[in-house]
Amino acid sequence: MIPGIDDTHNPARTSWVPGAEGHPDFPVQNLPLGIFSTPGGPRRAGVAIGDSVLDLPLIAALLPRAAAACLSTPTLNALFALPAADRVALRRRLSELLSDESHRAAVEPALLPVASCTLHLPCAIGDYTDFYVGIHHANNIGRQFRPDNPLLPNYKWVPIGYHGRASSVQPSGVPVVRPNGQRKAPDADAPAFGPSARLDYELELGVWVGRGNDLGTPIPIGEAGEHVAGFCLLNDWSARDFQAWEYQPLGPFLAKNFHTSVSPWVVTAEAMAPFRVAQPPRPEGDPHPLPYLWDEADQARGALSIELEVQLETAAMREAGLPPVTLSRGSATNMYWTVAQIVTHHASNGCNLAPGDLLGTGTLSAPEREGFGSLMEITRGGAEPLSLPTGETRRFLEDGDTLTLRGTARADGRVPIGLGACTATILPARA
Amino acid sequence: MIPGIDDTHNPARTSWVPGAEGHPDFPVQNLPLGIFSTPGGPRRAGVAIGDSVLDLPLIAALLPRAAAACLSTPTLNALFALPAADRVALRRRLSELLSDESHRAAVEPALLPVASCTLHLPCAIGDYTDFYVGIHHANNIGRQFRPDNPLLPNYKWVPIGYHGRASSVQPSGVPVVRPNGQRKAPDADAPAFGPSARLDYELELGVWVGRGNDLGTPIPIGEAGEHVAGFCLLNDWSARDFQAWEYQPLGPFLAKNFHTSVSPWVVTAEAMAPFRVAQPPRPEGDPHPLPYLWDEADQARGALSIELEVQLETAAMREAGLPPVTLSRGSATNMYWTVAQIVTHHASNGCNLAPGDLLGTGTLSAPEREGFGSLMEITRGGAEPLSLPTGETRRFLEDGDTLTLRGTARADGRVPIGLGACTATILPARA
């Protein structure tokens, strides 16, 4: 079941919180959940509203009982384990508390400036799985390896995915240390070990799993929506040189598992309801998905109308006071499989998902260069370097570069809501 | 640093616990750690001795303080996070308590028959990584796909590994539900979804990570031994039909993540000290490993002299009262890379390992058919079915089959110690 639209999404609804109205990411129609701390304080659950964070344990007495009972832990896992109806009840109550002036006196003392908070991972991630559903990315990358046959025969049947590393998923802001590793130049006799010379980003959407399933019990596609708690931005940092050398036959490993960044706020499935659109029809001639992956309601509302943007700021740009440059603009509708299809496929063999698990969509590239989601695509593997306003060029990321992902859900007649920034700066490799 | 041999390994040492002496797996020279419960009781730490389990929280007052402080949780993660020296101190004290008759009165009340205990996973597994260091297995499988070129060019340079699914790792005894999934017959136009027709096992050694490392901080090979808490048996159940269809380009996913079995007892790195032998020299012409993977001390003592055995019992054999048949006998010395090389490679890019993480070695096949570690190898992909004493044949596993892995460490002049059984029965697929 996909969440519906209710009065919490009403564009006429405003908040008494200063700065919430017109906020690019966090108006009262969003109400994303996260985990934050203040100096000397514990990690605890919060809600982003404008440039403030609402300290949920402080107002637990005002919240629905099921959700309030989950606020004694430093993660959102327990909250995500609740039935979706409890998350809906929490959202309605939060919307009321933050909209209705009559609650201001009780709630305002629990608001903190976000600048005074440290944002953490929202969940203890049990397992992190990365998919590959950005078909234009798969095409672009495949073409660099196999010009005549970029997509493998399974791509249009199987939502391709693989397991990533949960321990190295980090919240936005944690710097990325350039990894060391093995890479082999095509003309070299032997590989060498050292810092990656082809460090790249990948623009992805992250999906936070809500309610889990028992081992051996699949999730029917009609129920997949109930297992999705919310969304974030995800940067699947990639060392392309390590990847090319190590990935056969068992897939990417050290090329990816040194760091994955996520935006810290979980934009709930409920908040995203007005931004669901029809899944784009498959191109003529593509196979019809197998029955376990097919649901008419999912096709009608399974895609997400989220605009995605990637910005780069180099150290030289920072010094010169130049603004970041936009590397790409794309859309989350460039997914060949829906989120429900990903979830159902993942559990189709009985694999057990758990609350707080993280799924990545894979790189979401648009068909055209302006919307490519990685430097590997934008510079065609480094063959066509980017020119920057400082006179610098980039084939891949350099030390000191700051990369920022942004995403904004938009729909006619709706107040846009944002995912918040997913950003990190590259630090030099350690000796 | 690799642990040394001390008086806890003395073959003259005996235990006052009835049944410990001469026990094939758990004499007083072993002292493996695990997590168990009794009906109505909490999960708690125990030690296997003979056919008994020593309830550690019950004797916490008799144990070294650092270890005793870790016994209030239902997992061994905290214990594994301690410096190896604390694990050594625990081992010495346990050996004393269980050998010296003077401690019997204080300790005996904390002994439970293992038959009255349920054994659980020893750790909350943060991440599970599976490697591919059984070179004969890699050769055998590679030959089925690429007869002239079974090993890919990276194999002798890179300890190949990939991330597996932590949530579906189960202790020995939990039945395996035959998974459903997509598979495509070579001559079919389209894939079909249904129960795996090529369900297989993989004989592996499991490595439990002890002390972790910080993100961005590699583990030098000379220190890798300090990060290994102990060993178990691991069965990497595999649906070969799903695997063949899904694995390109990102590696195995649903073919593996429906279930992984481990033996429940952790045979500590300390217990294994007398069974460490020189890593077999690389065949003439193989490249020398890169410096970050090379350590003379590791080469001298980095291999494990563990005999491995796989047994199959079908439902018909059980009904007829026939004993299980042995499918293979091999050795853990058939690893192309040592455990230290695996650990160091894994962290070489800064990837952070954590206490309680699980590493699989990959299938450990011997060079000859009698020691092949999977049915895929034994029956050559199903082309040469096995004949069983009941008149049955097996190309792959059938519903009702019980598969058991065993491992025994042996060395001249030493009391052999076992890893305990890793067993599971195949249940039919769910509709």
Side-chain angles (χ1 to χ4, degrees):
Chain A
M1 248 197 45
I2 298 170
I5 301 176
D6 62 24
D7 198 53
T8 62
H9 304 98
N10 191 334
R13 189 165 273 242
T14 57
S15 172
W16 51 258
V17 177
E21 209 172 338
H23 193 278
D25 287 322
F26 309 130
V28 74
Q29 285 77 9
N30 194 343
L31 303 175
L33 302 165
I35 292 291
F36 76 101
S37 65
T38 41
R43 294 189 184 201
R44 53 202 192 272
V47 172
I49 174 81
D51 292 316
S52 299
V53 175
L54 177 64
D55 187 327
L56 287 185
L58 271 189
I59 58 155
L62 303 178
L63 300 176
R65 194 173 305 184
C70 298
L71 299 178
S72 61
T73 59
T75 69
L76 297 178
N77 294 64
L79 193 64
F80 286 1
L82 294 177
D86 288 315
R87 258 190 356 256
V88 170
L90 175 63
R91 173 176 173 82
R92 290 187 179 160
R93 181 61 173 159
L94 288 168
S95 180
E96 198 173 271
L97 293 171
L98 292 166
S99 298
D100 189 338
E101 188 76 35
S102 71
H103 294 294
R104 184 168 185 164
V107 174
E108 200 159 26
L111 285 176
L112 296 155
V114 67
S116 71
C117 299
T118 302
L119 301 175
H120 304 281
L121 283 184
C123 293
I125 301 169
D127 281 285
Y128 158 48
T129 306
D130 202 17
F131 284 85
Y132 194 56
V133 306
I135 190 168
H136 307 302
H137 171 75
N139 251 318
N140 293 337
I141 296 290
R143 201 173 288 122
Q144 294 189 22
F145 290 99
R146 299 170 299 274
D148 300 331
N149 184 28
L151 282 189
L152 291 166
N154 56 14
Y155 190 86
K156 293 180 175 178
W157 294 99
V158 179
I160 296 288
Y162 69 105
H163 291 294
R165 181 85 193 171
S167 72
S168 55
V169 177
Q170 302 291 317
S172 174
V174 175
V176 174
V177 178
R178 180 180 298 274
N180 288 299
Q182 282 195 38
R183 61 269 193 275
K184 187 179 155 304
D187 55 348
D189 289 336
F193 184 85
S196 172
R198 292 163 74 89
L199 183 59
D200 200 358
Y201 67 92
E202 290 194 344
L203 165 64
E204 304 194 12
L205 210 59
V207 178
W208 291 100
V209 174
R211 198 154 56 86
N213 61 304
D214 291 334
L215 185 66
T217 305
I219 298 174
I221 188 153
E223 296 171 18
E226 290 169 38
H227 294 265
V228 175
F231 303 93
C232 65
L233 292 164
L234 186 151
N235 188 337
D236 177 27
W237 303 98
S238 300
R240 302 296 181 194
D241 38 4
F242 305 171
Q243 189 174 352
W245 174 232
E246 77 171 1
Y247 91 104
Q248 282 189 319
L250 300 181
F253 182 46
L254 299 192
K256 303 275 197 174
N257 69 5
F258 57 93
H259 200 120
T260 302
S261 297
V262 290
S263 56
W265 294 107
V266 180
V267 175
T268 62
E270 294 75 51
M272 209 55 93
F275 308 102
R276 304 203 73 120
V277 293
Q279 174 70 354
R282 296 189 152 208
E284 183 98 9
D286 280 12
H288 192 282
L290 291 177
Y292 79 102
L293 292 175
W294 187 256
D295 179 62
E296 292 291 349
D298 179 48
Q299 291 298 310
R301 290 189 61 218
L304 298 165
S305 178
I306 304 174
E307 292 177 10
L308 301 166
E309 188 174 325
V310 181
Q311 294 188 316
L312 171 68
E313 182 188 63
T314 69
M317 289 160 73
R318 253 193 312 278
E319 275 168 38
L322 292 169
V325 292
T326 296
L327 294 185
S328 70
R329 281 199 183 87
S331 167
T333 53
N334 288 305
M335 290 169 59
Y336 191 76
W337 301 96
T338 67
V339 171
Q341 287 173 322
I342 289 173
V343 167
T344 291
H345 181 66
H346 200 325
S348 64
N349 66 346
C351 180
N352 52 330
L353 310 186
D357 282 354
L358 178 63
L359 314 178
T361 55
T363 310
L364 297 180
S365 290
E368 59 288 339
R369 189 182 189 282
E370 291 62 35
F372 287 178
S374 68
L375 284 173
M376 186 74 175
E377 294 163 85
I378 293 173
T379 70
R380 293 173 60 90
E384 300 174 7
L386 268 180
S387 294
L388 300 174
T390 46
E392 299 174 284
T393 60
R394 283 292 179 278
R395 299 184 315 119
F396 291 96
L397 296 170
E398 301 286 341
D399 296 344
D401 286 357
T402 299
L403 207 288
T404 302
L405 315 181
R406 288 179 205 281
T408 307
R410 291 183 199 277
D412 283 350
R414 296 289 167 186
V415 177
I417 64 173
L419 291 161
C422 179
T423 189
T425 300
I426 310 298
L427 300 185
R430 298 198 184 149
Chain B
M1 248 198 44
I2 299 172
I5 301 176
D6 63 24
D7 198 50
T8 62
H9 304 98
N10 191 334
R13 189 164 274 242
T14 57
S15 172
W16 49 259
V17 177
E21 209 173 337
H23 193 279
D25 287 324
F26 308 131
V28 74
Q29 284 77 12
N30 194 344
L31 304 174
L33 302 165
I35 293 291
F36 76 101
S37 64
T38 42
R43 295 189 184 202
R44 52 203 193 272
V47 172
I49 174 82
D51 294 315
S52 299
V53 175
L54 178 63
D55 187 327
L56 287 184
L58 270 189
I59 58 157
L62 304 177
L63 300 177
R65 192 172 306 184
C70 299
L71 298 178
S72 62
T73 59
T75 69
L76 298 178
N77 294 64
L79 192 64
F80 287 1
L82 294 177
D86 288 313
R87 255 185 4 251
V88 170
L90 175 63
R91 173 177 173 81
R92 290 187 180 160
R93 181 60 173 158
L94 289 169
S95 180
E96 200 173 270
L97 293 171
L98 292 166
S99 300
D100 189 337
E101 190 73 35
S102 71
H103 294 294
R104 184 167 185 164
V107 174
E108 200 158 26
L111 285 177
L112 295 155
V114 68
S116 71
C117 299
T118 302
L119 301 174
H120 303 281
L121 284 183
C123 294
I125 302 169
D127 280 285
Y128 158 48
T129 307
D130 202 17
F131 283 85
Y132 194 55
V133 307
I135 189 169
H136 306 302
H137 170 75
N139 251 317
N140 293 336
I141 295 289
R143 201 172 289 123
Q144 294 188 23
F145 290 99
R146 300 170 298 273
D148 300 332
N149 184 28
L151 283 188
L152 291 166
N154 55 14
Y155 190 86
K156 293 179 173 179
W157 294 99
V158 179
I160 296 288
Y162 68 107
H163 291 294
R165 180 85 193 171
S167 71
S168 55
V169 177
Q170 302 291 317
S172 175
V174 175
V176 174
V177 178
R178 180 181 299 273
N180 288 301
Q182 282 194 38
R183 60 269 194 275
K184 188 178 154 305
D187 54 350
D189 289 336
F193 184 83
S196 172
R198 293 163 72 89
L199 183 59
D200 201 357
Y201 67 91
E202 290 195 343
L203 166 65
E204 304 194 12
L205 210 60
V207 179
W208 291 100
V209 172
R211 198 154 56 84
N213 61 303
D214 292 334
L215 185 67
T217 306
I219 299 174
I221 188 153
E223 297 172 18
E226 290 169 38
H227 294 264
V228 174
F231 303 94
C232 65
L233 292 165
L234 186 151
N235 188 337
D236 177 26
W237 304 97
S238 299
R240 301 296 180 194
D241 36 6
F242 305 171
Q243 190 175 353
W245 174 231
E246 77 170 1
Y247 91 104
Q248 282 189 317
L250 300 181
F253 182 46
L254 299 192
K256 303 274 197 175
N257 69 4
F258 58 93
H259 200 121
T260 301
S261 298
V262 291
S263 55
W265 293 107
V266 181
V267 174
T268 62
E270 295 74 50
M272 209 53 95
F275 308 101
R276 305 202 73 118
V277 293
Q279 174 70 354
R282 295 189 153 209
E284 182 98 12
D286 280 11
H288 193 283
L290 292 176
Y292 79 102
L293 293 174
W294 188 256
D295 180 61
E296 293 290 349
D298 178 49
Q299 291 297 308
R301 291 189 60 217
L304 298 165
S305 178
I306 304 175
E307 292 176 12
L308 301 166
E309 188 174 327
V310 182
Q311 293 187 317
L312 171 69
E313 182 187 61
T314 69
M317 289 162 71
R318 254 194 310 280
E319 276 168 38
L322 293 169
V325 292
T326 297
L327 294 185
S328 70
R329 281 201 182 84
S331 167
T333 53
N334 288 305
M335 290 169 60
Y336 191 75
W337 300 96
T338 67
V339 170
Q341 287 173 322
I342 290 174
V343 167
T344 292
H345 180 65
H346 201 325
S348 64
N349 65 345
C351 179
N352 51 330
L353 309 186
D357 281 354
L358 177 63
L359 313 178
T361 54
T363 310
L364 297 179
S365 292
E368 61 287 338
R369 188 182 190 284
E370 290 64 35
F372 286 178
S374 68
L375 283 173
M376 186 75 175
E377 294 163 85
I378 293 173
T379 70
R380 293 171 61 91
E384 300 174 8
L386 268 181
S387 295
L388 301 175
T390 45
E392 298 173 285
T393 60
R394 283 293 178 278
R395 300 183 313 120
F396 290 97
L397 296 170
E398 302 285 342
D399 297 344
D401 286 358
T402 300
L403 208 288
T404 304
L405 315 180
R406 288 179 204 283
T408 307
R410 291 182 199 279
D412 283 349
R414 294 290 168 187
V415 177
I417 64 173
L419 292 161
C422 178
T423 190
T425 299
I426 310 298
L427 299 185
R430 298 197 185 149

